[in-house]
Structures are given as C-alpha cells and as structure tokens.
Amino acid sequence: MNYYRAIIIICLFALFFGLDGCDSFGLPSRAKEVISSSSANSDLRRQFIISSIPIITLGLPAEAAETTAEAIRLISSKTIPGLGPPDIYYPPNFVGRWKTTRVISSSDDVFFKELQDRGVKLPIQVTSEMRFVPYNAGKDFQQQETNPDSNTVPAIADRSFNEQSYYAALSEEIGRLYQQSSTKSSLPSIQRCDWTPTNPNVLALEYSDGSSKEIKVTKRSSDVSNDGSNLFSSEFRRITVVPPSSSSSITGGIPSVYKSRVLTKWRQVSGSNDVIEGIEILYNEQGTLGDRNSDPLQMGSNGVISSLYGGDSKDLADWRSTKTKILMERMK
C-alpha cells in the first residue's frame, strides 16, 4: 500500500513541476504518458487534483498498528469529550475466560466495617470467573469468544458477566464466614443486570430484596506499557443506590448518590499469557469528614486533617478505600 501512496505523490509532483524532476523517482512510463497528455489543460487539472488530494489519501486504508501497545493507544485516542476513552482496552491475550482469585486485604469501607463488627475479619478470599472479549465482538459474545482474530484485536471486559460472577462468589463466601462466626446474614441476589458493550458506561443492577444500584462511569483514563505486559486504568464513577421499599411505600426508598473511583494495574507473570496479576484500589465517598467527628485523627483541633485544612475539614468528602490483590488464571 505504501507503493501506491508513493506513486500518487510522484504523479502530483510531476503535474506541478514537470516530468524532468521525477526521473529520479523511477516514475512508470504509463504514468508519464498520462501526465504528458494532460498538459493542455494543466491549470484546470491541477486545481481539480488539489481538491481531490484529501479524497485520494483518505481513501487508502491506514497502516495497521504494529504492536499491542500501539493498537490499544490508537483505539483509546478516540476519546469522548469530558469522559475519555469509550472503554478500557486490554491486550488481546486477555480474551477468554479466567479463574479469578481476589484477596481483599484491607478496607475501611462501611460495608466491610460492618462485616468485621459481626465477626467476619479481613482478609477475605473470593474466587469467581471473569470474561474478556474482542472489543469489536458486538452483542453476541458467545460466538465471538472463538473469533480467529481475537489474538490480534484488543479486548474489553464483559462487565455484566464479571459483576454478577464476583457478587455471587462474594455473597457465598460471606455466607460461609457468617456460619463460622455464628452470625446469620446474607446478601440479596442479583435478579437483573443491564449492560451493553455499545454503552459500557452504565451498569444497572436489581436485587431480590427490591433494591437497585446504577454504576455510571463519568471519566476514565488508561495506559499500557510499550511491550503490552502492563496496563493501568482509572475510572471515576457515580453510584446511585435505591433501598428496598418499605411497607408504607410502593416504590423504593430514598435514593443515595455517591462518587467512586477504581484504580487497577495488571501485569503478566513471567511473560505468560495464561497468568495475570492485578492490584485494585477502590475509593468510595461516604459522607463528609464531619460525620467522623469521633475520630481524633480526622477531626478536632489536633487532628491531622484539621491541621491541614482548618475548620473547613468537616465539609471535606470522606473517602474510604478497599485494597484487593487479584490473580487471573486462564480457564482451558
């Protein structure tokens, strides 16, 4: 294809500067005849060709990316204003099903704080499945998992499948730990999950107790190493939670909206395409620091944050973090 591009450029050069200036390029004789026959109306033809240059050059297919990193950066460069890349794109070797082991090592999030108050201590190990598909797989993921081009096309995460699989495994593990701690409790099961790869920024969940949750990505960024073995991503999200309806209300309870951010880093293990390690840090906004006025580290005249921000620290957002180690092993 580069050959034809060169011929077009040489022909345009000849139309403007004559054939003598093009002999060193090795212009084909047929091209010289075409150019010579057009000399009578050269001015008109030059104007026509100038206007046609964008059409001629854009009509030729662009060169394919030579490396995984180039392919991912090329797709990610098609950003949406205010949002960033349309999705997080992974190296092609991510395509397929993975046995995923998550170790939740530490958290001050309210959810895990309540678990610890009931006798369930961290770390917690959760084993589930994750699925990645070629980014151009369309809606029929089942047929596209065996796409012959999947080893060259960047991948995206099947967020619906991954969320349901992880939630079910987490619920099962928490139930098992509750039995050991003689405390009875369980998480409501997911009844419905709405997500589409053509609009990957919204994931809507409905639970068996009548509650619901919507996770909407508001901004994202990602970066990949030159050899494609390491990937980093960041997503800001807005989460809307609707509690179950009460006996006096037909609809759900009063919704609560909070901000969230998830940072993830992936790394191939010893260059293997079948084992990938990851680290995830999840930040959830839970009220303001003023709600933590019993914590001497956060508030009070001698508090660390108060010493930095003064009396206004009580209005700062209270971010709680959860740190998780991830190990993915390809399922044969």
Side-chain angles (χ1 to χ4, degrees):
M1 187 56 64
N2 288 333
Y3 170 79
Y4 293 105
R5 289 180 183 272
I7 292 299
I8 291 174
I9 293 173
I10 293 172
C11 289
L12 294 174
F13 184 85
L15 284 172
F16 283 97
F17 302 105
L19 294 176
D20 294 337
C22 298
D23 289 339
S24 59
F25 292 102
L27 189 67
S29 58
R30 177 55 183 163
K32 292 182 180 181
E33 294 175 4
V34 173
I35 295 172
S36 298
S37 63
S38 65
S39 59
N41 298 313
S42 59
D43 292 338
L44 180 61
R45 292 184 181 276
R46 286 173 184 171
Q47 294 177 5
F48 172 76
I49 290 176
I50 289 174
S51 64
S52 302
I53 289 176
I55 300 175
I56 294 173
T57 56
L58 293 177
L60 295 174
E63 294 184 35
E66 296 181 358
T67 66
T68 295
E70 288 179 0
I72 293 176
R73 288 167 181 161
L74 180 62
I75 301 173
S76 300
S77 65
K78 301 175 182 178
T79 59
I80 300 174
L83 173 66
D87 205 338
I88 295 175
Y89 300 101
Y90 301 83
N93 62 285
F94 272 68
V95 172
R97 288 176 176 263
W98 299 79
K99 174 186 175 183
T100 305
T101 303
R102 293 173 175 264
V103 178
I104 304 170
S105 57
S106 63
S107 177
D108 60 354
D109 189 272
V110 171
F111 175 79
F112 289 103
K113 281 287 189 181
E114 291 179 353
L115 290 182
Q116 295 182 60
D117 293 341
R118 298 183 182 185
V120 178
K121 304 298 183 181
L122 297 179
I124 297 176
Q125 179 173 306
V126 180
T127 301
S128 62
E129 285 188 35
M130 290 187 71
R131 179 166 66 181
F132 296 82
V133 298
Y135 82 94
N136 58 354
K139 295 182 179 180
D140 193 356
F141 285 168
Q142 295 293 340
Q143 295 181 9
Q144 292 292 340
E145 282 184 349
T146 57
N147 187 337
D149 297 329
S150 61
N151 61 339
T152 60
V153 176
I156 59 171
D158 183 348
R159 297 179 184 236
S160 174
F161 178 90
N162 296 345
E163 176 68 21
Q164 294 181 80
S165 177
Y166 169 68
Y167 183 86
L170 177 63
S171 179
E172 181 179 352
E173 179 64 16
I174 288 177
R176 185 184 69 82
L177 295 174
Y178 269 141
Q179 291 178 358
Q180 294 180 357
S181 64
S182 68
T183 303
K184 293 183 179 180
S185 182
S186 62
L187 300 178
S189 60
I190 296 177
Q191 296 294 301
R192 181 178 178 181
C193 182
D194 290 332
W195 177 82
T196 173
T198 56
N199 182 24
N201 301 314
V202 179
L203 176 69
L205 301 161
E206 296 180 4
Y207 300 94
S208 57
D209 63 353
S211 62
S212 63
K213 179 167 69 174
E214 180 188 80
I215 304 172
K216 184 174 183 178
V217 178
T218 57
K219 188 176 182 180
R220 72 162 55 89
S221 63
S222 63
D223 191 21
V224 61
S225 62
N226 290 331
D227 61 359
S229 62
N230 291 266
L231 178 74
F232 170 81
S233 64
S234 168
E235 285 190 333
F236 289 88
R237 312 179 301 175
R238 184 177 69 243
I239 299 179
T240 305
V241 177
V242 180
S245 59
S246 62
S247 58
S248 59
S249 174
I250 299 178
T251 60
I254 300 175
S256 60
V257 181
Y258 62 92
K259 293 180 289 186
S260 174
R261 185 186 185 187
V262 58
L263 303 172
T264 310
K265 184 174 182 179
W266 302 98
R267 179 180 70 89
Q268 284 183 276
V269 178
S270 302
S272 172
N273 288 332
D274 297 327
V275 182
I276 297 174
E277 291 180 337
I279 299 176
E280 178 184 275
I281 303 178
L282 174 65
Y283 296 95
N284 284 332
E285 180 191 34
Q286 295 176 345
T288 65
L289 293 179
D291 300 329
R292 273 211 216 187
N293 52 17
S294 60
D295 189 342
L297 178 64
Q298 307 294 339
M299 301 299 297
S301 58
N302 297 323
V304 174
I305 292 181
S306 293
S307 64
L308 293 175
Y309 297 97
D312 294 335
S313 59
K314 63 183 178 64
D315 296 323
L316 296 176
D318 184 8
W319 290 92
R320 308 291 183 94
S321 65
T322 301
K323 299 178 181 179
T324 305
K325 294 181 179 180
I326 308 172
L327 176 65
M328 297 201 314
E329 300 170 287
R330 188 181 300 278
M331 299 175 65
K332 304 297 184 180

